[in-house]
Amino acid sequence: MSQYLEFRNARCKDCYKCLRECPVKAIDFNGHQAQIIEDRCILCGHCTLACPQNAKIVHSELDEVKRLLESNETVIASVAPSFISSFGLNDFAVMKLALAKLGFHDAEETSVGAQAVTKEYARLLKTGEFTNFITSACPAACRMIQEYYPKALKFLAPVDSPMVAHAKMLKKQHPEAKIVFIGPCIAKKREAVESEMIDNVLTFEDVTQFFEERHIHLDEITSVSLDRKNGAPNLAKEYPIPQGIINSFPVLPEGYEYIAVDGPKKCLEALKNIEHLDHVVMEINLCVDACVNGPCSLVKDGSTKATADIRKYVSKEKRTMTGKHDETSLDINLTTNHPRLRSHSLAASERDIEAILRKTGKMKPEDELNCGSCGYATCREKAWAVYNGYADIEICLPYMRERAESLSFEIIQNSPEGIIVLDSDLVIQDINNKGRELLGIVDENIKGRPAVDFFSPIEFMNAYNKKGRVDCKQLFLPQSGKYLDMSINYLSGQNVLFGIMKDVTDRVNYEEQINKVKMETYETTDGVIKKQMRVAQEIASLLGETTAETKVALLKLKKALANDNIQND
């Protein structure tokens, strides 16, 4: 589990949208769930914005800050200048009062530190020692350079970010104070831990929740108008918008071209070509439209207005502040070191890559479609991810589709049962060879044609009207001379009718033959019985006549014997 960011178990549909949006491919899929690869992640937060299931979990430090505020510690908030757009304010005093109600001892704009960073940039550029110069205000961009673009590392300004610079300034004034940074950036959480200057980081979303819990409404806090003050306006309040860092220079150091690059794609392109540039100062932000569009910004799809709000805020600063720009040297060391970082990912050999490609049917270069459906830009990048265990080899849409279609085709075509699919208009969508045979269809091109042209689809109509299953037993098809048992299912998800036909002609014929034999046997048996009855009756009749004659004879004999006895006496 990542210390700063992770995905909750959600209804992940294997869309890989988060992976496609990740500029450094720091996402693994395990059990159909996205997971952050912590040592590769630069915490830009683009994956969390891309997820259609809103599965992001940005680990909150709100409970820790609450405990800190309830202690006797002096807690000071450093508020990122993009608060203007996220909270819809035009006066920092309102935010300061609201934070005081939460228990903060004091609050300042982080742009105070940004102003000091700009001065350090100017000092370094005036030395002429840099062939190219990349700003260091975006921690996600700095991390990406440190880990993935080592050739650009020598151009990265060795200067603290505005957050760290401001924390150093606050610590100098209040050595025992606890510093809490408030902003729209997830990457600031890791930067705060590594700098050891900031105690906690709250996102704008955290602060909004905190305000709601304490029933603090910013629109109910009386706005405090800014009086004209002595001193120069803080142009560094433009840091959170494109070209904001460039515009924060009162006078641009000569000898350089100044460009602003924002968004992952532009940043990747710029860093890949940095060595081909000469004397270019590059303001770089991983977020499109810079910090006003950060992953935890409260502005959703409104970065144009957010940019306008920031510019208006700075214009107001210019109108209400008087005096010349302060050119005094800083008494705080803002120099920092950006070391080369390495992840634990393994480099795959060409043999390993090709072996993995072959497993998904990519035998030659033209088989590598580089469609990006898996989340990786090329098939070779995907093979590298498989080699490192970051992706399953089966995650390849063309391969999976081809395999599924091939498998389903073979199963359907070689099925001993007839299979047919009709749409809701009873038009044939698919049929296998057995189905043609059973239905007596000889035409080859029947897909897209009405079923009624070939057979009576009454049973299919019944199934569609019923929106369920219909079973037909021993259905006779005169066009093929076949008897069928047919099961028709309505598939609601696809709005189609799926029919499975079983040839029961032999069984029906066998049963008819058995019935015929039974009838013949019955008739034969009945004839024999009738004949036997006649014989029996005839025998009985003959036996009856013989018995009568015998009886008469015996009676005569008895009588004769009786008379003979009388005479002898």
Side-chain angles (χ1 to χ4, degrees):
M1 181 177 70
S2 173
Q3 181 180 352
Y4 311 103
L5 173 67
E6 63 177 313
F7 289 95
R8 68 168 62 91
N9 289 339
R11 298 185 304 276
C12 184
K13 300 299 182 182
D14 295 328
C15 67
Y16 311 114
K17 192 173 182 180
C18 58
L19 183 58
R20 281 195 294 275
E21 292 297 320
C22 179
V24 295
K25 306 307 175 191
I27 297 176
D28 183 12
F29 282 86
N30 188 3
H32 300 282
Q33 290 293 326
Q35 296 177 346
I36 302 293
I37 305 173
E38 188 167 4
D39 70 325
R40 292 187 57 82
C41 181
I42 60 175
L43 293 176
C44 65
H46 287 88
C47 59
T48 66
L49 299 175
C51 178
Q53 300 296 328
N54 191 28
K56 73 172 182 178
I57 300 177
V58 179
H59 290 189
S60 175
E61 299 173 38
L62 183 56
D63 290 338
E64 297 174 34
V65 172
K66 288 178 180 178
R67 289 192 292 269
L68 196 61
L69 293 172
E70 292 170 358
S71 67
N72 294 324
E73 301 282 357
T74 298
V75 185
I76 301 176
S78 174
V79 184
S82 52
F83 81 91
I84 291 295
S85 55
S86 274
F87 290 94
L89 300 175
N90 58 12
D91 189 345
F92 181 69
V94 174
M95 176 61 75
K96 187 172 183 176
L97 289 172
L99 292 173
K101 291 186 176 185
L102 293 177
F104 284 91
H105 175 78
D106 197 3
E108 282 188 8
E109 296 185 64
T110 314
S111 57
V112 174
Q115 188 176 40
V117 168
T118 298
K119 291 179 181 179
E120 184 65 8
Y121 286 163
R123 185 187 70 79
L124 292 172
L125 289 171
K126 287 176 182 178
T127 65
E129 297 176 358
F130 290 86
T131 306
N132 294 303
F133 192 87
I134 303 174
T135 59
S136 57
C138 176
C142 291
R143 187 86 179 187
M144 185 165 67
I145 294 170
Q146 290 175 267
E147 189 166 349
Y148 300 99
Y149 295 92
K151 292 183 179 180
L153 193 55
K154 60 185 177 182
F155 304 122
L156 182 58
V159 182
D160 287 323
S161 71
M163 177 186 73
V164 175
H166 190 217
K168 287 183 176 181
M169 298 169 76
L170 291 173
K171 287 284 190 179
K172 186 175 182 65
Q173 298 170 13
H174 310 279
E176 303 301 324
K178 302 294 183 181
I179 310 300
V180 175
F181 175 78
I182 298 173
C185 182
I186 301 173
K188 290 294 185 185
K189 290 178 174 290
R190 180 160 54 196
E191 184 189 12
V193 172
E194 293 176 348
S195 71
E196 299 182 350
M197 295 300 299
I198 297 92
D199 296 277
N200 292 104
V201 172
L202 293 182
T203 66
F204 285 158
E205 294 171 342
D206 291 329
V207 174
T208 299
Q209 179 184 334
F210 204 177
F211 284 157
E212 291 175 353
E213 291 176 358
R214 299 296 172 86
H215 305 290
I216 296 173
H217 304 283
L218 297 178
D219 56 355
E220 295 178 358
I221 298 176
T222 303
S223 179
V224 181
S225 61
L226 291 171
D227 297 326
R228 293 179 66 83
K229 301 177 183 179
N230 293 325
N234 186 351
L235 302 180
K237 292 183 179 182
E238 275 199 36
Y239 259 58
I241 63 175
Q243 291 193 329
I245 296 177
I246 296 173
N247 293 337
S248 70
F249 287 90
V251 179
L252 291 174
E254 296 180 356
Y256 291 92
E257 292 293 332
Y258 292 82
I259 62 173
V261 180
D262 62 290
K265 291 183 179 179
K266 292 181 179 179
C267 289
L268 293 175
E269 179 184 354
L271 293 174
K272 287 178 182 178
N273 295 286
I274 188 68
E275 288 190 299
H276 301 293
L277 302 179
D278 184 42
H279 282 77
V280 170
V281 174
M282 185 184 298
E283 173 189 316
I284 186 168
N285 285 287
L286 251 294
C287 291
V288 176
D289 294 324
C291 303
V292 291
N293 198 32
C296 296
S297 170
L298 304 182
V299 176
K300 306 300 180 186
D301 300 324
S303 54
T304 302
K305 181 181 182 303
T307 299
D309 290 342
I310 297 295
R311 288 179 176 170
K312 185 185 295 184
Y313 182 65
V314 176
S315 296
K316 183 179 180 180
E317 174 97 353
K318 292 177 181 178
R319 292 195 307 270
T320 57
M321 300 291 286
T322 62
K324 296 181 179 180
H325 295 287
D326 184 9
E327 298 294 343
T328 59
S329 61
L330 297 172
D331 57 355
I332 297 175
N333 183 9
L334 300 183
T335 302
T336 189
N337 178 38
H338 298 291
R340 171 78 168 98
L341 300 175
R342 290 178 173 82
S343 69
H344 296 98
S345 301
L346 303 174
S349 67
E350 183 65 20
R351 178 180 296 179
D352 293 325
I353 295 294
E354 290 180 354
I356 293 171
L357 290 173
R358 284 195 295 271
K359 290 182 179 179
T360 53
K362 298 173 180 61
M363 304 299 180
K364 48 189 182 298
E366 48 266 38
D367 294 332
E368 299 173 26
L369 301 178
N370 301 327
C371 65
S373 60
C374 62
Y376 294 91
T378 68
C379 296
R380 289 180 169 267
E381 284 187 23
K382 158 68 184 315
W384 167 86
V386 172
Y387 181 78
N388 277 276
Y390 300 148
D392 293 330
I393 196 168
E394 292 83 5
I395 300 176
C396 175
L397 184 58
Y399 167 71
M400 292 172 66
R401 180 175 180 177
E402 182 179 349
R403 188 177 69 172
E405 289 179 348
S406 174
L407 184 61
S408 62
F409 178 82
E410 292 299 327
I411 291 174
I412 290 174
Q413 291 302 321
N414 293 290
S415 173
E417 317 294 351
I419 296 175
I420 186 170
V421 180
L422 307 184
D423 65 13
S424 57
D425 295 323
L426 303 183
V427 172
I428 298 173
Q429 299 300 304
D430 205 355
I431 187 171
N432 66 353
N433 293 330
K434 188 65 176 180
R436 295 172 187 270
E437 175 192 335
L438 296 179
L439 294 173
I441 299 174
V442 295
D443 291 2
E444 290 294 330
N445 300 318
I446 65 170
K447 292 183 181 180
R449 296 174 63 179
V452 70
D453 291 352
F454 304 98
F455 61 91
S456 174
I458 295 176
E459 290 77 13
F460 286 87
M461 293 178 63
N462 292 336
Y464 182 77
N465 293 331
K466 183 180 178 182
K467 296 294 188 293
R469 175 171 173 168
V470 170
D471 291 316
C472 308
K473 298 294 184 182
Q474 298 184 5
L475 183 67
F476 180 69
L477 275 297
Q479 56 267 45
S480 64
K482 300 285 187 180
Y483 287 92
L484 308 178
D485 280 353
M486 183 181 294
S487 175
I488 303 171
N489 291 274
Y490 172 71
L491 307 180
S492 58
Q494 291 75 33
N495 194 30
V496 297
L497 295 158
F498 183 79
I500 300 177
M501 299 168 283
K502 183 177 181 179
D503 187 357
V504 295
T505 304
D506 291 342
R507 188 183 72 192
V508 171
N509 291 338
Y510 177 75
E511 290 177 352
E512 289 180 352
Q513 291 175 0
I514 292 297
N515 290 335
K516 183 178 179 180
V517 170
K518 287 180 179 179
M519 290 300 299
E520 290 176 352
T521 302
Y522 173 78
E523 291 174 357
T524 301
T525 303
D526 185 61
V528 170
I529 292 173
K530 288 180 178 179
K531 185 176 181 180
Q532 290 295 326
M533 289 298 295
R534 288 196 299 270
V535 170
Q537 289 175 356
E538 291 174 359
I539 292 173
S541 176
L542 292 174
L543 288 173
E545 292 176 359
T546 303
T547 301
E549 291 174 355
T550 302
K551 182 179 181 181
V552 171
L554 290 174
L555 289 174
K556 288 181 177 181
L557 177 61
K558 178 180 179 181
K559 185 176 181 181
L561 291 174
N563 291 332
D564 185 56
N565 289 332
I566 293 172
Q567 292 176 1
N568 291 331
D569 290 339

